[in-house]
Amino acid sequence: MRLRSHLIALVLAALVPVLGFSALVIRDNARLQLAATERGMRETAHAVAATVDKELEVAITALQALAESEHLDAADLRVFHALCQRMVRAQGWRSILLVDAEAQGLMHTSLAMGTRPPPTSRPEAFLLARDGRRPAVSNLFDGVRHQRIVAVYVPIFRDNVVRFVLAAGLPAAKFGEVLRAQQFGAGTVAVLQDRDNVIVARTQREAEMVGQPARPPMPGADGWTRSQLRDGDDVYVAFVTAPLSGWRVVLTTPAAMVDAPLRRALWQLLGGA
């Protein structure tokens, strides 16, 4: 009996250091894997934000090209109206609105020429474009004729003075297409939120979630953390603010998927013991 006890003690004495060392290795590997996950999610969020802003830059460039048209300076805007309508169809936009420096509507592609459109429904973006003398992007809103759109405002200069502001209404669905075109990892959900923390686009459940307020944003322009969804599921979250629009890209990945390799390694260690 004494010999058996000694043998057990010898086995334990040899096994405990091995198990301890294995546990340390597993812990360090888990930290490395988590760091790699964080780095990958952050890089992906930055890439998506750049793609979103690129979509807006395309709209800005197109409006700036229209602003150079000689037909804009004509007394009769019919030719310019038709030109804008062609641009709307080509770009898949909802509409183009032309307003003067006092925000009074001059032309709207969804209205017949001669019908005076109402003033811009996004005065804050208009003022930012006019007074800031640079393009501005609105948050998500429902227009008079179109729902779930965002608007890009471009100031138009004549003799270095802002004479007009040209605005294009883009459907929120266009940004849903941008998100879904990205190659996200399994289980990852991407959400685009405007500056008011309202959902503009989403890779899952988009139809029911667009226009809804998101959870209160985390502080900072970008970051990575572990959080919990409203349904109680734990997730890792990476977020970044797009510089042009000020919108936020948020990526979530289930914590269970990220932590699964660590759990498997621990079970294997315990099973081997």
Side-chain angles (χ1 to χ4, degrees):
M1 199 61 186
R2 180 177 296 179
L3 178 60
R4 182 179 179 184
S5 299
H6 282 303
L7 289 174
I8 293 174
L10 287 172
V11 170
L12 290 176
L15 187 59
V16 168
V18 173
L19 291 175
F21 177 75
S22 299
L24 291 175
V25 170
I26 291 173
R27 183 197 63 184
D28 290 342
N29 285 338
R31 288 177 177 175
L32 291 174
Q33 291 174 4
L34 193 58
T37 298
E38 176 183 355
R39 183 170 59 253
M41 290 182 67
R42 281 177 177 268
E43 290 175 352
T44 301
H46 277 278
V48 174
T51 303
V52 168
D53 273 0
K54 184 65 177 178
E55 188 73 24
L56 294 168
E57 288 170 0
V58 169
I60 289 170
T61 301
L63 290 178
Q64 289 172 334
L66 285 173
E68 298 299 322
S69 172
E70 60 183 11
H71 302 299
L72 178 56
D73 298 310
D76 190 340
L77 291 173
R78 293 179 189 277
V79 175
F80 185 72
H81 181 265
L83 182 63
C84 289
Q85 286 182 322
R86 289 198 294 271
M87 180 68 77
V88 166
R89 291 191 293 268
Q91 296 292 334
W93 297 344
R94 289 290 182 256
S95 62
I96 291 178
L97 169 68
L98 176 68
V99 298
D100 62 19
E102 301 304 319
Q104 296 303 306
L106 301 176
M107 181 216 75
H108 195 294
T109 55
S110 296
L111 299 175
M113 194 60 207
T115 304
R116 192 174 184 87
T120 174
S121 57
R122 298 268 76 85
E124 71 288 346
F126 163 80
L127 291 174
L128 187 59
R130 186 195 68 180
D131 300 341
R133 300 170 64 86
R134 59 184 175 85
V137 180
S138 77
N139 288 322
L140 183 73
F141 68 98
D142 289 334
V144 175
R145 303 180 66 87
H146 305 287
Q147 294 185 328
R148 294 184 174 182
I149 60 175
V150 298
V152 175
Y153 289 75
V154 170
I156 300 176
F157 300 93
R158 294 295 184 265
D159 298 324
N160 202 35
V161 175
V162 177
R163 185 178 174 189
F164 307 107
V165 172
L166 199 57
L170 282 63
K174 181 178 287 288
F175 297 95
E177 295 172 0
V178 169
L179 293 185
R180 287 187 292 275
Q182 312 307 307
Q183 295 183 348
F184 298 113
T188 298
V189 176
V191 181
L192 181 62
Q193 303 169 2
D194 68 17
R195 296 182 300 276
D196 285 340
N197 205 38
V198 173
I199 296 174
V200 176
R202 184 182 166 98
T203 54
Q204 296 181 11
R205 299 171 57 200
E206 184 175 61
E208 62 182 281
M209 298 300 293
V210 169
Q212 299 299 315
R215 297 185 65 178
M218 286 165 282
D222 64 90
W224 188 83
T225 187
R226 182 173 176 135
S227 185
Q228 192 174 72
L229 299 177
R230 289 170 178 167
D231 59 10
D233 291 339
D234 289 332
V235 292
Y236 287 103
V237 183
F239 61 92
V240 64
T241 302
L244 173 62
S245 60
W247 298 346
R248 177 172 285 198
V249 173
V250 181
L251 305 181
T252 61
T253 298
M257 294 184 64
V258 177
D259 298 339
L262 172 61
R263 291 198 304 270
R264 285 197 298 269
L266 289 174
W267 279 113
Q268 289 170 359
L269 177 62
L270 292 174

